[in-house]
Amino acid sequence: MKGDYQDLVDEISALLGAPATLENRDFRLIAFGAHDSDDDLAMDPVRTRSILTRQSTADVRSWFEAFGIARATGPVRIPAAPDAGVFRGRICLPVRYRGIVQGYVWLLDQEPGKPGPGPAALDAAMEVAQRIGVLLAEEAKAGADLSREFLAVLTAGRGWQQDMAVAALRAALGPGGDGLHAAVCVTPWPGEAPASVPGAAAVCVVPRRGGGEPGGAAGPGAGTGSGPGPEAVGEPALAVLLRLRSTDALAPALAAVARLLPRAAEATGTGGKGPAGKATGGKAAGGKATGGSAGATAVTTASATARGVTAGVADPVRGLADLHVAWEQAVAAARAAAAQPRFGPVAQWSAIGPYRMLATLAADPVDDPAARPLLTPTNRELARTAEVFLDCAGQAGRAAAALGIHRQTLYYRLARVEQLTGLDLDEGEDRLLLHMALKAARLT
């Protein structure tokens, strides 16, 4: 497939008389033509970085996208901008398939005053770009065609069954199976897996079972602690295996997730509300406020509302041997995003703190006898008070300020908590038990 891309890029270079480069929609380099010019401007910093690192920075991407290339259906001329490291103007040929942008072909434009490629040559180059779009779309679709092998890895039991499933997926992926990947969980996911996900090696829909499925979170005091048992069928989830170039380059993964959320949200139609019935905030993975810059950790406001849909991104893994562990991380992160709006609709496993353990421990509903009285609807305010107090490391001043109440009111409520639970909040182990119970209740 890589050779096909190179041949098509060389064909465009010949048609337009200029070296061309091909990038996917996330500005990751796929192929580039030979540079035999002595013109120093032909290799400006932006072009050099793209070729050497095989990707562009978020700032460069944002700058080029401001010219409307993602919406364009024909060639787009972009002027030079020396301050941005673009010493020579560009011609961008959008690569589309069935109206969806798959990538971009880039060429250096002629210097001012010199004739550039004519309309006929550009039309011929766009026809080649369309052929590239078909290849890119087919490559993305190939990931969906591996859904059976991918699902087998995620649902197989431990031992020889897991080993056989991993071997089958590795054989299907070829050499790419030994590279870096990130597992992603999007839940709830209605219907079938999407036909293509940019940068995905494989996608599938995973039937979810158990009482702690993502999307069903409730805060402390929202219920009695009882709920569906392990045999209950939960919401299905979309599993995505995304290719990565390095362990610290999760931006493409988060960008792909951001594009998936609106699809699931529209299909679920839960009215722009979060899992607890509250409008969700515009935060991205890790709980940071989102912005409008491209590149990736930014999830747009439209995506962030997500209508009860959450996503989790696991830590990168090399190869497929630990893929089941990565999937568990992604599921835990999605559940944490549903439980805590501060994580935003997209949560990275590395950023969810205690929920890394709690999401595993609380696969079944929590029903600790000590905490049970506090988790009834009538004691919701007491549960919130106790949780905030424990979140503040038992510092009464901070807790009272966070709750907006007087210290004496706080002390009165904490005394009621001790009466209801039989726990002593001056004892570390009692604090730990209650804190875990309140956090785990959000996941059930």
Side-chain angles (χ1 to χ4, degrees), residues 22-26 92-96 100-105 136:
L22 170 63
E23 296 178 334
N24 68 9
R25 75 177 90 189
D26 294 318
C92 176
L93 307 180
V95 177
R96 309 184 80 87
I100 299 175
V101 65
Q102 304 290 331
Y104 307 99
V105 174
L136 286 171

Side-chain angles (χ1 to χ4, degrees), residues 21 23 25-28 44-51 53-69 78-79 81-88 90 92 104 106 293-296:
T21 58
E23 296 178 334
R25 75 177 90 189
D26 294 318
F27 284 60
R28 294 168 70 183
D44 58 31
V46 168
R47 195 176 187 88
T48 300
R49 177 185 174 85
S50 173
I51 292 174
T53 67
R54 306 194 71 82
Q55 62 185 350
S56 296
T57 66
D59 289 340
V60 168
R61 172 178 173 171
S62 181
W63 189 80
F64 280 123
E65 286 181 335
F67 290 91
I69 60 174
I78 299 173
D83 291 344
V86 181
F87 296 164
R88 177 77 66 81
R90 302 288 200 270
C92 176
Y104 307 99
W106 299 93
S293 62

